[in-house]
């Protein structure tokens, strides 16, 4: 009820504003451009009147062009200043983001749609490694290195390395 009354009142005010604008427009035109009385004027007087009106139209067009140029210049300047303000503020305001825990299945479901039901178990593709193998490798590497250095030192050691690289001797 109250809302409909407010809407009706607003509609009446808008209609009244339209009527007021029309009356103001007519009053302004009557004041600025009085009706022409061309009755009883000679041809030369009519030509002179047309030239005067044409000169007035030219002056008004020049003023309109100047005002439009100023408005365009001001709008460009406003845009440039707005860009500078944004740059000085530190570009853009970053929104506060929340952490969301999403499983790989949920991500795939959102990307592929609900039609595809893909379960992604990442552990199935991993290579299995036995602990015993790794322990044996470590023990082999930890052997006494001093013996190896003494055995390979000098020309005899280099000869042994050369023979080992060649392959077994027949």
């Amino acid at each position: 009820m109250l809302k409909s009354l407010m809407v009706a009142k607003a509609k009446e005010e808008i209609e009244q504003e339209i009527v007021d604008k029309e009356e103001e427009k007519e009053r302004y035109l009557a004041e600025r451009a009085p009706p022409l009385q061309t009755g009883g004027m000679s041809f030369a007087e009519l030509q002179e009147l047309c030239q005067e009106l044409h000169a007035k139209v030219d002056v008004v067009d020049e003023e309109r062009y100047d005002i439009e140029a100023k408005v365009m210049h001001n709008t460009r300047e406003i845009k440039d200043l707005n860009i500078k303000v944004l740059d000085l503020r530190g570009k853009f305001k970053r929104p506060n983001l929340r952490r969301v825990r999403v499983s790989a299945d949920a991500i795939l479901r959102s990307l592929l749609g609900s039609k595809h039901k893909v379960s992604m178990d990442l552990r199935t593709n991993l290579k299995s490694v036995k602990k015993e193998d790794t322990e044996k490798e470590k023990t082999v590497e930890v052997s006494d290195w001093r013996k190896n250095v003494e055995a390979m030192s000098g020309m005899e050691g280099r000869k042994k390395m050369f023979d080992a690289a060649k392959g077994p001797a027949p």
Side-chain angles (χ1 to χ4, degrees), residues 12-22:
E12 289 175 8
E13 287 180 4
I14 290 173
E15 290 173 358
Q16 185 62 35
E17 281 182 22
I18 292 172
V19 170
D20 289 345
K21 282 184 181 180
E22 285 294 322

Side-chain angles (χ1 to χ4, degrees), residues 11 14 25-26 34 49 56-57 59 63 81 83 90 100 107 115 136-137 144 150 166-167:
K11 191 183 252 188
I14 290 173
K25 182 178 177 182
E26 289 177 19
L49 180 66
K56 287 182 181 180
V57 167
V59 170
E63 290 176 3
L81 291 174
I83 291 171
V100 179
I107 292 173
K115 296 176 186 174
K136 287 179 184 175
E137 289 176 11
D144 193 13
E150 289 173 7
K166 255 183 167 180

Side-chain angles (χ1 to χ4, degrees), residues 2-3 22 26 31-32 34 55-57 67 70 85 88 106 115 118 168:
L2 180 62
K3 188 175 180 181
E22 285 294 322
E26 289 177 19
E31 188 178 298
R32 296 289 264 166
K56 287 182 181 180
V57 167
I67 291 172
K70 286 180 184 177
V85 166
L88 291 176
K115 296 176 186 174
V118 178

Side-chain angles (χ1 to χ4, degrees), residues 14-78:
I14 290 173
E15 290 173 358
Q16 185 62 35
E17 281 182 22
I18 292 172
V19 170
D20 289 345
K21 282 184 181 180
E22 285 294 322
E23 289 175 357
E24 184 179 341
K25 182 178 177 182
E26 289 177 19
R27 187 173 51 247
Y28 179 80
L29 287 176
E31 188 178 298
R32 296 289 264 166
L36 294 176
Q37 298 171 354
T38 56
M41 293 181 111
S42 68
F43 183 73
E45 290 174 340
L46 285 175
Q47 280 184 336
E48 188 177 321
L49 180 66
C50 286
Q51 288 174 352
E52 288 175 16
L53 291 175
H54 189 62
K56 287 182 181 180
V57 167
D58 286 343
V59 170
V60 170
D61 278 343
E62 287 175 6
E63 290 176 3
R64 182 181 54 86
Y65 178 78
D66 291 342
I67 291 172
E68 284 179 359
K70 286 180 184 177
V71 168
M72 295 278 286
H73 176 72
N74 287 341
T75 55
R76 274 192 227 117
E77 191 173 334
I78 289 170

Side-chain angles (χ1 to χ4, degrees), residues 97-123:
L97 300 177
R98 297 178 293 162
R99 284 208 179 263
V100 179
R101 291 186 178 218
V102 180
S103 66
D105 292 334
I107 292 173
L108 284 174
R109 217 176 300 121
S110 66
L111 291 175
L112 300 175
S114 61
K115 296 176 186 174
H116 302 283
K117 293 190 176 182
V118 178
S119 64
M120 189 171 152
D121 188 13
L122 298 175
R123 293 182 182 155

